Amino acid sequence: MARSFRIGNIGGVEVRAHPTVAIALLWVFWHWSRQAHDPYVGALFGGFLLLAIFVSVAGHELAHSFLARRYGLEVRDITLLPIGGVTRIEQFPLPPRREAMVALAGPVLNLVVAAGLTPVLLSALLWRGARSPLDLLLVARETSPSSLLLLVWLANVLLALFNLLPAFPMDGGRVLRAWLSWMSDRLVATRIAVSLGYLLALALLVAGIVLRDLMLPLLALFLLGAATVETRLIELEDAMRRLPVGQFAVWDMGGVGPDQELSYALRGGPRDVAVVSGGRVVGMLWREDILRNVRSGDNRLVREVMDPTVVTVDVDTSVYDAHQRMLASGHPSIPVVENGRYRGIFTADRLVHVYRYLQEGRRPRARYLVVAEALGLIGR
Ligand SMILES: [Zn+2]
């Protein structure tokens, strides 16, 4: 992934392309220039087709990314590959329902695109007099606008269907895992979905050998790699379930009192601060609220600005559960208490220390969930 190059930034998500995309481009030029009467028209057609497919893949990945970000996860980047795309999302698991929604967002986007193209495609085909499946095959081999429309429509339908296969690392595997974790342990649910992923990869490998097709084994390798990353992630998650949040919290003697002036909360720089009264957490001062009020000039009291909703975790709560609660609250910090008394604060920044700690113990290294999309149709 390291040598991929940046194409642009869409809505705050970096989109990159792997150098091997250039090989796919050359292949497409060569293939389609032989297909058409005029090689230049053919090459141009191939270029447009590849571009349209990459836009579909990028749209699929962005749909995952935007929804994941709305649920509070950090999205690192999207990389386009000749056989699909890879999105790196912060690895923390969401509640099953939300996880299923994020997984479904990609295929749903492709189905919406296909549905939008359908009336245009149907009119183009009717106008061309194409009525039977054989006519469709003939159109698909042309280098005409109808052919481009048909192939892009097909690419979106296949992207949606293939990615909905119920096996990791496909989106369908994530939906299956979410559904299974309603009924059993998440770890068991993941193992089942990952095993199905290995089976799918094996089936693709065998099909590739039988059909003498090079794309299928490549796809199988891609799936195997992603399934392995996923396995490492479950181990990481498992480790985080066993680490107490107290070990990684920033210890703090006291927080601020509700009757202190707001400027007092700015000691040590603007940050999320717990509001403590008689040793107990009574509210939170969020960084952005402090800054907004300080900028407005009038120095108010802490109690007027604080968020009185109190969500705390005990020192013995696992890092995993603490982060789940942070995600649910929509704030990057959570106060840590011991026997009900305020002890310190755990923030999203502290997660870096958790990862570092786990790495020192030579535990799993994967930090980002890799949403891998497989696309088996370029070059067909
Ligand atoms: Zn997807």
Side-chain angles (χ1 to χ4, degrees):
M1 270 318 110
R3 278 164 293 149
S4 64
F5 52 91
R6 188 174 178 273
I7 309 176
N9 188 301
I10 301 173
V13 178
E14 186 154 296
V15 181
R16 310 180 68 87
H18 197 261
T20 45
V21 165
I23 300 172
L25 190 65
L26 287 179
W27 194 93
V28 160
F29 281 158
W30 176 76
H31 175 83
W32 285 101
S33 60
R34 285 167 66 229
Q35 204 85 345
H37 293 300
D38 182 341
Y40 293 107
V41 172
L44 198 66
F45 177 88
F48 270 123
L49 179 63
L50 194 69
L51 184 70
I53 289 176
F54 274 132
V55 168
S56 305
V57 173
H60 177 116
E61 303 293 341
L62 285 169
H64 287 310
S65 305
F66 289 154
L67 199 57
R69 217 166 44 178
R70 240 187 80 190
Y71 291 151
L73 295 182
E74 178 201 327
V75 177
R76 193 159 160 192
D77 53 23
I78 291 173
T79 305
L80 299 174
L81 300 163
I83 47 169
V86 166
T87 302
R88 289 194 289 178
I89 299 176
E90 189 190 4
Q91 68 86 27
F92 267 93
L94 293 167
R97 216 183 100 85
R98 289 189 166 187
E99 187 175 36
M101 301 275 276
V102 171
L104 285 172
V108 165
L109 182 113
N110 294 117
L111 289 178
V112 168
V113 170
L117 287 177
T118 302
V120 193
L121 176 65
L122 281 180
S123 355
L125 289 175
L126 284 175
W127 181 72
R128 289 281 314 274
R131 295 260 162 9
S132 69
L134 188 70
D135 293 339
L136 284 187
L137 270 181
L138 289 175
V139 171
R141 292 182 69 82
E142 288 173 3
T143 46
S144 66
S146 322
S147 163
L148 189 66
L149 209 56
L150 177 64
L151 291 174
V152 173
W153 182 87
L154 201 62
N156 276 280
V157 170
L158 289 180
L159 250 173
L161 293 184
F162 191 55
N163 281 294
L164 283 173
L165 285 175
F168 255 122
M170 320 302 291
D171 297 327
R174 285 175 208 287
V175 177
L176 175 74
R177 196 258 303 267
W179 183 64
L180 287 175
S181 44
W182 275 109
M183 292 179 287
S184 71
D185 181 52
R186 188 179 144 86
L187 216 64
V188 176
T190 310
R191 293 233 159 91
I192 294 173
V194 168
S195 306
L196 288 171
Y198 283 129
L199 267 180
L200 177 66
L202 191 69
L204 286 173
L205 200 65
V206 172
I209 294 166
V210 172
L211 301 170
R212 297 181 179 205
D213 186 318
L214 189 66
M215 270 315 272
L216 294 175
L218 271 180
L219 206 56
L221 277 180
F222 178 67
L223 296 188
L224 273 180
T228 310
V229 171
E230 198 66 41
T231 312
R232 239 181 276 151
L233 283 172
I234 327 168
E235 288 164 8
L236 179 69
E237 191 183 311
D238 197 40
M240 291 204 175
R241 280 177 195 273
R242 282 182 272 116
L243 290 177
V245 70
Q247 192 179 333
F248 298 96
V250 180
W251 293 84
D252 175 13
M253 291 303 131
V256 291
D259 295 314
Q260 278 173 311
E261 286 186 357
L262 196 61
S263 56
Y264 191 69
L266 274 166
R267 295 167 310 155
R271 63 206 150 87
D272 298 332
V273 184
V275 183
V276 181
S277 176
R280 305 202 173 255
V281 180
V282 292
M284 278 301 285
L285 269 179
W286 304 115
R287 184 178 182 272
E288 62 267 33
D289 294 335
I290 300 177
L291 288 175
R292 195 178 323 122
N293 277 281
V294 165
R295 248 182 247 131
S296 74
D298 36 87
N299 199 3
R300 300 165 71 187
L301 291 180
V302 166
R303 66 162 70 250
E304 299 170 65
V305 179
M306 74 176 194
D307 173 2
T309 331
V310 176
V311 182
T312 60
V313 283
D314 194 78
V315 281
D316 295 325
T317 309
S318 70
V319 169
Y320 175 87
D321 287 332
H323 191 263
Q324 286 290 300
R325 241 172 274 179
M326 278 156 64
L327 283 177
S329 75
H331 291 291
S333 314
I334 196 161
V336 180
V337 298
E338 189 172 21
N339 300 321
R341 299 189 76 79
Y342 176 64
R343 297 310 299 271
I345 204 154
F346 182 72
T347 60
D349 304 339
R350 301 295 294 168
L351 285 171
V352 176
H353 297 270
V354 178
Y355 296 127
R356 205 170 290 156
Y357 173 84
L358 287 172
Q359 278 175 28
E360 276 165 14
R362 311 199 69 202
R363 295 264 176 87
R365 273 191 286 163
R367 205 192 135 178
Y368 286 91
L369 168 74
V370 177
V371 179
E373 305 307 334
L375 170 84
L377 47 92
I378 292 172
R380 287 301 142 98

